Amino acid sequence: RWFDRYVGGKTSMAFGKPVAISPESWKGQPVRFAGVPKVVTRRIVFAAKTGFGQSGKLQRTLPPLARPTEVFGSPVVQVSANATGGWSRIVAVLSARTPAGKEIVVAGGGVPATAGKRTYRIVLGNQATFLPKGSKLTLTVASSSLAQNPGNLLYLDLPFPSTARLEVTGGLLRLPQLATPVSR
């Protein structure tokens, strides 16, 4: 409403449905809701027993999506890990490869790490991202977003000591999505 009134130039516009979401392919009108739309959270557990240094990574690719999905909110990655030798951060990037071969970065995030075995909760960026049916989600856990793709400059590869290592022993991805996607 604020944008409609102060940016759009309309001085008194009342909406019966104040929450608006713009579809991925804009058709001139947002989809409106009386309140925050229903979100369902998909919970994906992944096994891991992977250790790596600064240039390494843990990557898990999920089976193709059975239907179109609209990620809505902040995906959360939880990893059980042992940081040693000066490992100081953990970065997670969730990306998707569409059936047409296009790569989409869904969200990324990072947290500081401390020496020893811990469980880390990484809240990824909050956004809406449409993924067509058949897309494959890939989760990358590393020291920077460059491990997911050298062009992904969100979390740069700052130097670690040569002794730095991270051992990931398991994880969980919580993926919030609209119960009914607004994009097609």
Side-chain angles (χ1 to χ4, degrees):
R1 286 184 180 169
W2 185 90
F3 279 100
D4 290 333
R5 182 170 180 177
Y6 296 104
V7 178
K10 299 174 185 170
T11 57
S12 63
M13 181 178 268
F15 291 113
K17 296 183 176 181
V19 176
I21 300 175
S22 298
E24 184 81 18
S25 49
W26 180 250
K27 303 255 191 274
Q29 289 292 321
V31 177
R32 293 200 172 274
F33 298 88
V36 177
K38 183 178 179 185
V39 174
V40 294
T41 300
R42 185 174 167 200
R43 191 175 182 266
I44 303 147
V45 176
F46 58 91
K49 183 73 171 168
T50 305
F52 49 87
Q54 183 173 1
S55 62
K57 62 186 171 185
L58 164 73
Q59 249 181 352
R60 294 292 180 264
T61 300
L62 306 174
L65 296 172
R67 62 179 189 261
T69 299
E70 196 136 18
V71 177
F72 188 76
S74 297
V76 177
V77 176
Q78 187 173 305
V79 293
S80 297
N82 185 19
T84 59
W87 191 281
S88 62
R89 69 185 167 276
I90 301 174
V91 172
V93 177
L94 183 63
S95 60
R97 176 85 48 200
T98 68
K102 179 182 174 188
E103 183 178 54
I104 299 169
V105 175
V106 177
V111 295
T114 56
K117 295 180 183 179
R118 291 188 173 46
T119 298
Y120 295 92
R121 184 174 183 269
I122 307 164
V123 179
L124 307 185
N126 185 339
Q127 56 192 27
T129 305
F130 177 73
L131 303 172
K133 176 183 175 179
S135 296
K136 290 183 180 179
L137 287 166
T138 299
L139 177 64
T140 304
V141 177
S143 66
S144 80
S145 58
L146 299 173
Q148 177 265 329
N149 181 318
N152 185 344
L153 304 177
L154 187 59
Y155 293 92
L156 296 179
D157 197 14
L158 302 172
F160 277 173
S162 61
T163 56
R165 290 196 49 78
L166 185 70
E167 181 181 16
V168 180
T169 56
L172 170 71
L173 168 64
R174 287 187 183 91
L175 188 65
Q177 50 200 26
L178 289 175
T180 304
V182 298
S183 300
R184 303 281 173 233

